[in-house]
Amino acid sequence: TCSGTVPMRYRHDKISITDFGGVGDGQTLNTKAFRAAIYRIQHLKRRGGTLLYIPPGVYLTESFNLTSHMTLYLAKGAVIRATRDTWKWPLIAPLPSYGRGRELPGSRYMSFIHGDGVHDVIITGENGTIDGQGDIWWNMWRQRTLQFTRPNLIEFMNSRNIIISNVIFQNSPFWNIHPVYCQNVVIRYVTILAPYDSPNTDGIDPDSCSDVCIEDSYIATGDDMVAVKSGWDEYGIAFGRPSSSITIRRITGSSPFAGIAIGSETSGGVENILAENINLYNIGVGIHVKTNIGRGGFIRNITVSDVYMENARKGIKIAGDVGDHPDDKFNPNALPVVNGITIRRVWGVKVQQPGLIQGLKNSPFTGICLSNINLHGGTPWKCSDVSGTAIVVKPWPCSQFTSTTQ
């Protein structure tokens, strides 16, 4: 386990949302209670921090900000539920590494639970639920009536020493858990749920983060289960903050898109990623490394091992033509450099297409190492502008791969 990255803290000082007028009847709006409780934690500064206890019940609230040295603790049967009043949702500035909202130009809606510049924050409990009531947002997206980029369920920006564990996240308006510009983040024992057809409900998206540990979780959503990112085209290149030292381990789930993904926004660079012991069912692409011209940056030292997939459209895809651009100011000559991707011990059942590896003509993907891969059924591999090594791979990949016993 990598969970020792951030030690779990015991807090002597404990308060309950009910002490601040919180009512868990599913009807009363508890925004003032949450904001008052967190204001108290922020300003009283108890030694060792404070635990905010959410007892059983359904607590409807607008979005709120967390503060340092706090634990948000959801009891069994506790639900923190987002209001459906989208017009009351606060707007915040776009991320500098994206240059604009991810979906639409300009600002973006603040995440439901938000932390900016905080440290020593824990979200945990007895598998209580954080419910984004995302369907109202998904429908706005489908009807093209959105004015700004949808809110994430949880976002930490510029933060460190964060733990998210033993909580159920469901029906996020957009991405579920989005740590961005963070260091030392542990996410384990979480369950993330959204309908198979819900748009852009990625599970966990570490973005320009380092030292992240994601373990022992179940993710069944409408988009990538886990996607490592680092900024978008010229804005990500200028911001220049890579994602590095990220471990993803013992994750099970399903998605119409990817199980484990890198990208496609990788302009700050992505390196030193380990994903292992992954179980995927009813998946679009099992392992997906995706980037594009204009991205620049690098993707290097990526290891994915011990993956089981069943009923997949594609087993492995590594491609340089995936994803959209923020605007027309991207530099078409900013080509990503992809080198050093090891994929080993992969077993697939009912895989329609085993693999597609498509580098860029002026920036071929190198050092792609495939070993002990068995992807039953389907069509042959397709490859272009790639070099690497393959050993014990069925069906056999493309001629660009040398066979070796090394």
Side-chain angles (χ1 to χ4, degrees):
T1 179
C2 50
S3 57
T5 316
V6 188
M8 187 58 93
R9 297 282 299 259
Y10 178 80
R11 317 254 190 224
H12 290 280
D13 189 43
K14 298 181 180 70
I15 56 177
S16 170
I17 196 67
T18 54
D19 304 340
F20 297 83
V23 180
D25 61 2
Q27 312 274 294
T28 308
L29 200 59
N30 290 285
T31 313
K32 282 192 173 121
F34 277 100
R35 289 180 183 165
I38 292 163
Y39 184 89
R40 183 232 183 243
I41 296 170
Q42 191 177 358
H43 290 85
L44 270 185
K45 289 191 170 54
R46 291 277 194 249
R47 189 179 170 164
T50 298
L51 181 145
L52 173 56
Y53 179 79
I54 314 300
V58 179
Y59 298 84
L60 191 68
T61 175
E62 294 169 17
S63 61
F64 58 91
N65 284 285
L66 300 174
T67 188
S68 295
H69 308 298
M70 76 170 279
T71 297
L72 180 63
Y73 189 98
L74 288 86
K76 190 176 184 206
V79 180
I80 301 176
R81 181 170 287 165
T83 173
R84 288 175 167 279
D85 298 342
T86 58
W87 64 89
K88 288 185 178 174
W89 214 282
L91 288 166
I92 56 174
L95 292 165
S97 58
Y98 282 74
R100 49 161 270 195
R102 184 60 188 81
E103 300 192 273
L104 291 161
S107 302
R108 59 198 188 108
Y109 291 107
M110 179 175 119
S111 65
F112 176 47
I113 298 178
H114 198 76
D116 188 356
V118 297
H119 56 103
D120 179 26
V121 177
I122 301 169
I123 300 175
T124 189
E126 302 154 57
N127 283 329
T129 299
I130 295 174
D131 178 4
Q133 295 215 86
D135 56 337
I136 193 159
W137 297 94
W138 309 331
N139 286 331
M140 285 161 67
W141 178 83
R142 289 178 186 122
Q143 291 154 14
R144 305 205 166 159
T145 55
L146 278 168
Q147 290 177 289
F148 301 97
T149 297
R150 285 172 282 158
N152 300 311
L153 198 53
I154 293 212
E155 181 174 83
F156 284 98
M157 297 172 59
N158 308 302
S159 298
R160 59 189 160 85
N161 298 337
I162 306 295
I163 299 176
I164 302 173
S165 73
N166 302 88
V167 175
I168 299 164
F169 298 91
Q170 69 182 31
N171 297 333
S172 173
F174 195 53
W175 302 345
N176 275 270
I177 301 175
H178 185 221
V180 57
Y181 321 142
C182 289
Q183 188 177 7
N184 294 355
V185 179
V186 172
I187 302 167
R188 65 198 301 227
Y189 304 127
V190 298
T191 303
I192 305 178
L193 306 172
Y196 204 70
D197 65 348
S198 57
N200 312 98
T201 49
D202 299 32
I204 304 169
D205 287 2
D207 200 339
S208 295
C209 287
S210 55
D211 303 298
V212 179
C213 173
I214 300 166
E215 288 182 334
D216 302 294
S217 294
Y218 179 82
I219 304 171
T221 60
D223 210 321
D224 298 348
M225 289 165 51
V226 178
V228 179
K229 301 176 182 289
S230 68
W232 201 13
D233 285 6
E234 68 272 22
Y235 305 105
I237 293 169
F239 196 74
R241 179 150 176 188
S243 271
S244 65
S245 306
I246 297 175
T247 303
I248 303 157
R249 188 183 275 133
R250 294 182 300 274
I251 304 295
T252 298
S254 62
S255 161
F257 288 92
I260 301 299
I262 309 288
S264 73
E265 307 88 340
T266 54
S267 301
V270 174
E271 64 186 346
N272 307 337
I273 311 294
L274 169 66
E276 61 183 11
N277 302 106
I278 310 293
N279 292 297
L280 306 171
Y281 301 87
N282 304 324
I283 198 84
V285 182
I287 301 158
H288 196 179
V289 179
K290 45 185 171 170
T291 183
N292 207 340
I293 61 163
R295 293 282 191 267
F298 53 81
I299 299 173
R300 61 188 179 220
N301 192 17
I302 313 291
T303 302
V304 182
S305 77
D306 301 279
V307 178
Y308 175 81
M309 62 180 83
E310 190 177 298
N311 200 9
R313 200 173 68 245
K314 254 191 194 66
I316 295 164
K317 181 176 177 183
I318 304 174
D321 62 350
V322 179
D324 54 345
H325 302 285
D327 49 40
D328 55 12
K329 297 187 184 73
F330 72 92
N331 174 4
N333 298 317
L335 302 180
V337 175
V338 178
N339 173 45
I341 298 179
T342 300
I343 301 175
R344 58 173 179 246
R345 294 194 296 274
V346 178
W347 188 271
V349 178
K350 290 191 279 196
V351 178
Q352 288 173 33
Q353 214 248 331
L356 172 75
I357 305 184
Q358 225 160 13
L360 292 164
K361 198 183 214 140
N362 295 323
S363 185
F365 296 175
T366 57
I368 312 294
C369 185
L370 310 174
S371 69
N372 295 88
I373 295 172
N374 200 327
L375 297 168
H376 297 266
T379 54
W381 286 68
K382 288 183 185 156
C383 313
S384 59
D385 302 303
V386 57
S387 63
T389 303
I391 175 168
V392 197
V393 177
K394 290 183 194 170
W396 185 251
C398 322
S399 55
Q400 289 91 334
F401 285 85
T402 57
S403 174
T404 175
T405 49
Q406 296 281 306

